[in-house]
Amino acid sequence: MASLLDEAAHEALRLEARKLYEDSLIASDRAADWREALVEARAVIIQALRASDCLRDIPAALKQSGSHMLVFRHLMAPPTSQDQFKLICPVWPKSSEKTGTSINTDVADVVADKLLEWRSKRLAPWLMTGRSPTYRELGALLLAVSPLIASQRVATARRNRLALEQEVAIINKLQALGWQKVPSALIDAQGSLNSKQFMHKARFASGNVGRAEVDIAVGLEGAIVLAIECKVTNDETNSVKRINDVLKKAASWKDHWGNFVKPAALLQGVVKSSDVKQLLDKNVAVFWSHRLDLFGEWLVEQGAGG
């Protein structure tokens, strides 16, 4: 592999990426994202209320879908994170909230008991007498809880939009350099992807993470696959989470495939300097969305571009 940029060069690019992200923060866009997040939050709250008969049958809702826990956790006093609720209720299958899988009856009953024990009595006063809620009470609950859920979603909405633009940009760059986009498939053997071919959202057989998805898989000379994870980060706290995800996948790919796989990260937004250093120290190639020209030059250095 030809040499990549040194740490000083990456630091300059990191600062450029941060400045571009800050300059892109437009008040009207943020307001639109917030309105959309509020609408989505209200919808998931209403779904959880309907599934649980306005919180009078929480086990029924959990047996329908574990995703309703997003709402139920925010009805606790105080609102509780997934990790904190797992401490309170160890039997709760945390992954069910993300996957939406149903929770079995016995566990659902235990989870519901904990939720009711820790619930905010102010948000659902009708439960104290077992009556139906009034429209005013439901409106007050929606008004109080929607912003809590929306505040988590608004950053994700912006990041997802930028991530889509990021992936489209690198796809366009690869095609402009003469790469052929091939249908997404499982990469489970050396030679699954030829030089000057690439896949978008390919599945990658890789050790302890199983068939992990890689954002962009690029075929290089010598049957080497460049496995690129595209990461947009909103702030330095978010940066840690996104970079740790890259490092976890990179370690698994290296353990499973050795030098056949070259892990890489395409970064955009606000990234901590120490996170970039971690990637470089772990031999993860680092590229920047605002300088895809440098990515193209690196491909040419591999003898596979141009």
Side-chain angles (χ1 to χ4, degrees), residues 83-132:
D83 290 336
Q84 285 294 309
F85 189 78
K86 184 70 174 178
L87 291 175
I88 295 168
C89 187
V91 299
W92 174 54
K94 186 171 74 171
S95 63
S96 63
E97 181 176 320
K98 180 178 181 180
T99 62
T101 53
S102 62
I103 298 176
N104 71 55
T105 300
D106 291 341
V107 174
D109 288 340
V110 174
V111 172
D113 287 343
K114 287 297 181 183
L115 287 167
L116 292 172
E117 179 185 352
W118 288 68
R119 72 179 174 84
S120 168
K121 294 178 175 58
R122 180 182 64 82
L123 288 175
W126 63 88
L127 293 179
M128 289 184 284
T129 56
R131 60 178 173 81
S132 298

Side-chain angles (χ1 to χ4, degrees), residues 242-244 246-247 250 264-265 267 271 274-286:
R242 303 297 155 202
I243 298 310
N244 282 343
V246 176
L247 291 171
L267 305 180
V271 187
S274 58
D275 288 337
V276 178
K277 188 175 187 306
Q278 275 198 81
L279 291 172
L280 298 174
D281 288 346
K282 296 294 183 180
N283 294 316
V284 176
V286 174

